[in-house]
């Protein structure tokens, strides 16, 4: 780590505390959510998944027609939590049958992705104490017979590859820590088997090197989902009382820093950032809720205002996914309206069954961690008046003002994202309307071939070269540097500049942003070899459909308007600019039309804004 976590904690703490001392946003209201809301979301998922269970107890993915990876254990853990809370009594046998299956399956060596199983199994074990004794005895015998270095996949028995291992190993260590707390070691306490505390002590020190100085876990290529989920796996056994002198203290410091970073980068609507693998899944916000509930409890006595901000983040993140879980039929595990059978926006491993149930599992942890005596107060993203940069790890810039957020990728992973402004969010506005993530030409997730653009797209500039071909900032990722400069930051306006330099082409791109409630003005300037560009353009993907609901697009002089339910999205620009609507393209959230405005010279600008449509709400 480049900076001591304790020093970074102090910096992050000061930034957060400064924001939290500002006045509450006008019209701010409590969500009135309690921990029971997590159960409501979970129950919807579990009741759906119970219909996917076969006679053995395995959960069969309804699209793939097979049991996939860790799906079945992720049915059992939230099922046990619901039963312990007095829910789904009619599904008790489904949960117990699932526990029969997973406890037998893991030590058999036939489990897929076995490193993920033990944490889920131990959560269920701890809550199914009222199961028939004979059944509990079989479960216990099977759990005791698990030999981690024989049954898990991401291990290094000789210790030579410990630093090459990543999130799978942390999942395994979390499960082994919980197993140790339950005292379910191998028969005869066989010292040749590295399990429980011994497994943790062997595998977790090397993982410390994979954290940034912001307390964020760096899985390869810095995907946000794997920062969040890995921190949750580390936090879960620590919350249960597991500890190793020195080692878990270091992890607790990293968790503290990572959570403060999270408080600054989550959108005012509660959504996780875009960036990397497994994006736009409901499991992301479920993880955020669980982590935020833990942090709320951490600060309950020492910093009640901070505790209240984390409590708010937990509730807002959980509420943000209700649309796709409780209000959708069938429920969606990804944030779009396409039928799950299309697998639109999903990686090959992101099956409907396993990722729906992982969301339920993490919501279950949020329920277990929650303390309803902690009240809500506004979180930083709702108060606003700041920018927040992650660099070089995760390479993002966030700006928040008036319950509105921008997220900019300064050097994108081209298989998932694009360089430039990839997100324009306002609280209560559908996330896909102003764009929630960029659009890739060759994504590592499923998009129909006829909806793939020729090059990556974000909200941002392009320029014409001497040979009349166009280059866009969104295409660039290598040999690219950037610099953030703040200009004005208060709760009503945030103005800042991001300057990029692309060394091979000697191109300098400057974008100035002025952000206020539901509105951002963007001004771009491009120089090539120290000379002004001859012609420039700005790109803005316009939503056509989320896979279920279509928009209406209206144009008038100097403006384009997209009508979508109760909201309108407006793009305003100089009426002397040329503009055109290009081809249909898609990202994980929906299908878009590519608006491009252009003009001679090296400078161009536009203003994006959201407006509510009361008449649409009334007519609906």
């Amino acid at each position: 780590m480049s900076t001591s976590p304790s020093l970074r904690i102090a910096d992050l703490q000061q930034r957060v505390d400064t924001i939290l001392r500002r006045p509450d946003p006008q019209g701010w209201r409590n969500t009135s959510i309690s921990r029971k809301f997590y159960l409501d979301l979970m129950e919807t998922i579990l009741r759906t998944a119970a219909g996917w269970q076969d006679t053995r107890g395995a959960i069969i993915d309804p699209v793939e027609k097979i049991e996939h990876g860790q799906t079945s254990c992720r049915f059992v853990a939230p099922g046990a939590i619901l039963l312990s809370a007095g829910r789904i009594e009619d599904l008790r046998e489904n949960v117990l049958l699932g526990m029969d299956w997973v406890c037998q399956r893991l030590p058999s060596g036939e489990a897929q992705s076995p490193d993920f199983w033990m944490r889920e199994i131990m959560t269920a074990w701890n809550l199914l104490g009222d199961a028939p004794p004979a059944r509990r005895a079989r479960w216990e015998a099977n759990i005791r017979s698990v030999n981690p270095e024989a049954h898990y996949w991401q291990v290094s028995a000789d210790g030579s590859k410990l630093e090459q291992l990543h999130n799978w190993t942390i999942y395994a260590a979390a499960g082994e820590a919980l197993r140790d707390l339950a005292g379910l070691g191998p028969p005869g306490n066989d010292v040749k088997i590295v399990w429980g505390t011994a497994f943790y002590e062997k595998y977790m020190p090397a993982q410390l090197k994979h954290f940034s100085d912001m307390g964020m876990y760096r899985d390869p290529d810095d995907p946000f989902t794997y920062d969040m989920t890995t921190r949750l796996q580390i936090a879960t056994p620590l919350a249960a009382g597991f500890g190793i002198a020195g080692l878990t203290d270091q992890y607790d410091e990293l968790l503290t820093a990572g959570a403060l970073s999270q408080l600054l980068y989550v959108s005012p609507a509660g959504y996780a950032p875009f960036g990397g693998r497994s994006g736009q899944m409901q499991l992301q916000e479920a993880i955020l809720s669980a982590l935020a509930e833990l942090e709320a409890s951490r600060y309950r006595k020492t910093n009640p205002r901070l505790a209240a901000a984390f409590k708010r983040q937990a509730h807002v993140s959980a509420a943000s996914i209700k649309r796709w879980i409780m209000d959708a039929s069938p429920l969606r595990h990804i944030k779009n309206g396409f039928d799950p059978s299309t697998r639109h926006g999903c990686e090959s491993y992101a099956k409907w069954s396993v990722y729906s149930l992982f969301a339920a599992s993490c919501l279950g942890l949020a329920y277990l961690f929650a303390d309803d005596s902690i009240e809500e107060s506004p979180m930083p993203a709702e108060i606003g008046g700041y920018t927040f940069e992650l660099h070089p790890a995760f390479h993002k810039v966030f700006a928040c003002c008036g319950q509105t957020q921008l997220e900019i990728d300064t050097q994108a992973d081209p298989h998932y994202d694009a360089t430039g402004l990839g997100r324009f969010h306002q609280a209560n506005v559908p996330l896909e309307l102003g764009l929630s993530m960029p659009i890739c030409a060759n994504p590592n997730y499923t998009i129909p071939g006829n909806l793939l653009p020729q090059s990556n797209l974000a909200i941002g500039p392009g320029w014409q070269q001497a040979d009349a071909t166009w280059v866009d900032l969104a295409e660039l990722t290598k040999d690219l540097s950037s610099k953030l400069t703040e200009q004005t930051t208060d709760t009503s306006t945030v103005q800042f500049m991001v300057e990029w330099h692309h060394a091979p082409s000697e191109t300098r791109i400057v974008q100035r942003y002025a952000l206020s409630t539901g509105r951002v003005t963007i001004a771009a300037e491009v120089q090539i070899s120290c000379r002004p560009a001859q012609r420039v353009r700005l790109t803005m993907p316009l939503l056509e459909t989320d896979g279920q609901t279509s928009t209406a697009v209206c144009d008038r002089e100097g403006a384009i308007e997209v009508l979508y339910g109760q909201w309108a999205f407006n793009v305003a620009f100089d009426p002397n600019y040329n503009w055109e609507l290009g081809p249909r393209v898609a990202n994980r959230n929906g299908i878009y039309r590519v608006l491009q405005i252009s003009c001679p010279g090296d400078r161009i600008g536009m203003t994006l804004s959201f407006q509510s449509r009361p008449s649409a709400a009334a007519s609906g």
Side-chain angles (χ1 to χ4, degrees):
M1 293 175 287
S2 59
T3 303
S4 165
S6 60
L7 293 176
R8 182 55 70 183
I9 289 170
D11 176 59
L12 289 166
Q13 183 84 61
Q14 183 178 21
R15 293 203 64 185
V16 169
D17 286 345
T18 297
I19 297 166
L20 296 183
R21 284 194 292 269
R22 296 170 182 163
D24 291 355
Q26 185 175 5
W28 183 88
R29 291 185 297 178
N30 195 298
T31 63
S32 300
I33 286 174
S34 73
R35 66 201 292 250
K36 292 182 180 178
F37 183 66
Y38 301 130
L39 299 177
D40 295 339
L41 292 167
M42 293 165 63
E43 184 167 348
T44 299
I45 298 170
L46 263 289
R47 288 195 175 280
T48 299
W52 304 337
Q53 190 175 42
D54 69 13
T55 57
R56 303 169 300 171
I59 303 299
I60 306 301
D61 186 87
V63 176
E64 302 295 323
K65 309 301 182 185
I66 58 171
E67 180 188 22
H68 177 74
Q70 59 272 33
T71 304
S72 297
C73 60
R74 288 178 173 171
F75 175 81
V76 170
I81 294 169
L82 285 164
L83 286 172
S84 73
R87 303 278 190 108
I88 66 164
E89 191 58 39
D90 57 314
L91 298 180
R92 175 175 289 273
E93 182 54 31
N94 296 76
V95 176
L96 298 184
L97 184 62
M99 187 68 165
D100 290 341
W101 173 249
V102 298
C103 287
Q104 175 272 325
R105 191 76 165 169
L106 182 55
S108 73
E110 298 175 344
Q112 297 180 33
S113 308
D115 310 54
F116 297 94
W117 287 46
M118 186 62 78
R119 204 284 293 163
E120 307 283 355
I121 288 173
M122 292 312 305
T123 298
W125 167 267
N126 290 332
L127 295 171
L128 293 176
D130 59 351
R135 224 164 186 168
R136 288 274 293 182
R138 290 195 298 272
W139 299 343
E140 177 177 344
N142 282 318
I143 293 169
R144 287 185 181 277
S145 66
V146 173
N147 180 341
E149 291 189 324
H151 292 134
Y152 301 158
W153 291 355
Q154 296 297 313
V155 292
S156 177
D158 65 4
S160 64
K161 297 181 179 180
L162 294 178
E163 293 186 11
Q164 300 174 35
L165 304 175
H166 285 87
N167 77 86
W168 284 43
T169 301
I170 291 181
Y171 274 87
E176 287 302 310
L178 291 174
R179 180 185 175 193
D180 202 319
L181 287 175
L184 297 181
N189 294 318
D190 189 344
V191 296
K192 296 179 182 178
I193 296 177
V194 179
W195 74 284
T197 297
F199 186 92
Y200 200 101
E201 289 178 325
K202 177 175 179 178
Y203 285 88
M204 290 299 286
Q207 295 299 314
L208 289 167
K209 298 181 180 181
H210 297 320
F211 279 83
S212 77
D213 57 6
M214 294 286 197
M216 297 175 63
Y217 185 80
R218 303 191 67 182
D219 218 50
D221 300 318
D222 290 342
F224 269 99
T225 299
Y226 294 87
D227 157 55
M228 297 182 296
T229 188
T230 305
R231 286 190 289 116
L232 181 57
Q233 304 317 308
I234 295 168
T236 299
L238 271 59
F242 179 80
I244 298 173
L247 180 57
T248 51
D249 292 341
Q250 291 181 75
Y251 273 113
D252 192 59
E253 280 196 323
L254 289 166
L255 291 173
T256 300
L260 291 168
S261 296
Q262 170 185 313
L263 203 58
L264 292 167
Y265 67 57
V266 170
S267 91
Y271 294 115
F274 74 80
R277 308 194 313 276
S278 302
Q280 304 299 313
M281 303 286 172
Q282 313 335 338
L283 62 89
Q284 294 177 297
E285 286 69 35
I287 294 167
L288 289 173
S289 293
L291 286 166
E293 288 287 6
L294 273 176
E295 295 303 309
S297 295
R298 179 197 294 272
Y299 295 106
R300 181 172 62 87
K301 294 182 179 180
T302 60
N303 191 335
R305 178 63 184 89
L306 183 55
F310 275 113
K311 174 61 75 171
R312 174 70 173 186
Q313 188 176 91
H315 288 172
V316 173
S317 288
S320 74
I321 56 176
K322 177 177 180 288
R323 167 187 171 189
W324 293 282
I325 295 177
M326 296 176 66
D327 299 341
S329 181
L331 68 87
R332 268 59 169 196
H333 66 307
I334 185 170
K335 295 174 180 65
N336 65 50
F338 297 95
D339 190 277
S341 64
T342 67
R343 308 199 73 253
H344 184 102
C346 298
E347 286 92 343
S348 61
Y349 55 79
K351 310 300 184 186
W352 187 20
S353 55
V354 69
Y355 270 20
S356 296
L357 285 166
F358 189 40
S361 178
C362 295
L363 289 164
L365 292 178
Y367 171 80
L368 294 176
F369 298 154
D371 178 350
D372 278 345
S373 72
I374 301 170
E375 297 290 337
E376 291 181 11
S377 289
M379 60 187 184
E382 294 177 304
I383 299 169
Y386 67 90
T387 64
F388 179 56
E389 184 174 21
L390 297 173
H391 182 80
F394 296 91
H395 42 80
K396 301 291 189 297
V397 170
F398 301 88
C400 286
C401 179
Q403 300 193 54
T404 308
Q405 185 196 54
L406 304 181
E407 181 185 351
I408 298 164
D409 199 323
T410 56
Q411 192 171 9
D413 175 351
H415 302 296
Y416 292 96
D417 304 302
T419 300
L421 177 57
R423 171 170 292 185
F424 177 38
H425 272 191
Q426 182 183 349
N428 302 316
V429 177
L431 85 170
E432 62 271 21
L433 181 55
L435 204 66
S436 194
M437 63 171 294
I439 298 172
C440 292
N442 296 289
N444 284 354
Y445 54 82
T446 300
I447 294 293
N450 64 329
L451 296 176
L452 294 175
Q454 292 185 346
S455 61
N456 287 359
L457 300 171
I459 304 169
W463 52 94
Q464 199 168 35
Q465 302 181 108
D467 62 0
T469 60
W470 285 89
V471 176
D472 289 285
L473 174 64
E475 300 176 51
L476 305 180
T477 184
K478 295 182 179 180
D479 304 310
L480 189 67
S481 61
S482 64
K483 179 183 178 182
L484 167 68
T485 304
E486 286 187 345
Q487 295 165 326
T488 302
T489 54
D490 58 48
T491 55
S492 61
T493 306
V494 170
Q495 297 182 23
F496 64 100
M497 178 177 76
V498 181
E499 180 178 352
W500 283 270
H501 287 270
H502 184 242
S505 63
E506 298 183 312
T507 303
R508 175 178 177 263
I509 308 104
V510 176
Q511 289 198 86
R512 294 176 174 86
Y513 304 88
L515 178 67
S516 56
T517 301
R519 186 182 189 88
V520 62
T521 296
I522 303 168
E525 177 184 350
V526 181
Q527 293 181 345
I528 306 170
S529 299
C530 299
R531 297 180 180 179
Q534 296 302 299
R535 190 171 187 85
V536 289
R537 69 185 182 189
L538 282 171
T539 296
M540 176 68 230
L542 301 178
L543 181 68
E544 180 178 280
T545 178
D546 66 355
Q548 191 169 42
T549 303
S550 297
T551 65
V553 177
C554 310
D555 67 88
R556 59 184 187 277
E557 188 176 18
I560 305 290
E561 185 176 52
V562 181
L563 307 180
Y564 185 54
Q566 299 176 21
W567 291 93
F569 177 65
N570 295 280
V571 184
F573 47 89
D574 188 320
N576 293 313
Y577 291 167
N578 294 321
W579 68 271
E580 62 178 353
L581 276 179
R584 301 168 76 236
V585 297
N587 63 13
R588 297 186 195 261
N589 301 119
I591 298 172
Y592 293 78
R593 292 289 302 278
V594 182
L595 170 66
Q596 289 183 325
I597 60 174
S598 62
C599 67
D602 64 333
R603 302 184 184 198
I604 191 168
M606 66 181 177
T607 296
L608 314 177
S609 61
F610 298 111
Q611 291 180 336
S612 62
R613 303 173 62 217
S615 59
S619 65

